[in-house]
Amino acid sequence: MLYMILGREAEGGLERRAASREAHLGRLRALADEGRLVLAGPLPAIDAEDPGPAGFAGSLVVAEFASLEQAREWADADPYVHAGAWSGSEVHPFKGVLP
């Protein structure tokens, strides 16, 4: 089943995000290599593709997991959580409709 993971940016998380970005992307690449990643990306804090020092409000990941618990465990183990870039995350089942 698909799950939506919404990582919430921590106060001042921009530097910690940059420092842990490669590890975060590595986990996403692993999901993609397994054919489980639907989409992933950051949520700019302002209406701009490159928010600069305004940073991000968080990140969105939609991927396939065997269960809600496994999706939560994956989110909790993210390098952004361990680095303090994310203050936490929400995980919800996701039903893709379009396209």
Side-chain angles (χ1 to χ4, degrees):
M1 181 165 184
L2 295 178
Y3 295 90
M4 184 265 332
I5 298 169
L6 177 63
R8 301 233 179 246
E9 196 79 2
E11 182 79 28
L14 189 58
E15 278 187 30
R16 294 183 294 271
R17 173 186 278 268
S20 54
R21 185 169 189 262
E22 283 309 311
H24 170 77
L25 292 177
R27 295 180 82 232
L28 292 171
R29 286 185 193 105
L31 286 177
D33 290 347
E34 295 167 4
R36 297 170 44 205
L37 183 64
V38 174
L39 65 87
L43 305 170
I46 60 173
D47 189 13
E49 181 135 348
D50 179 358
F56 299 94
S59 301
L60 175 68
V61 176
V62 177
E64 182 181 343
F65 293 92
S67 67
L68 178 59
E69 184 59 34
Q70 285 186 6
R72 285 184 176 142
E73 288 173 2
W74 189 93
D76 290 345
D78 195 278
Y80 281 176
V81 172
H82 293 287
W86 286 355
S87 60
S89 61
E90 291 182 37
V91 181
H92 299 278
F94 179 84
K95 183 176 178 183
V97 175
L98 292 171

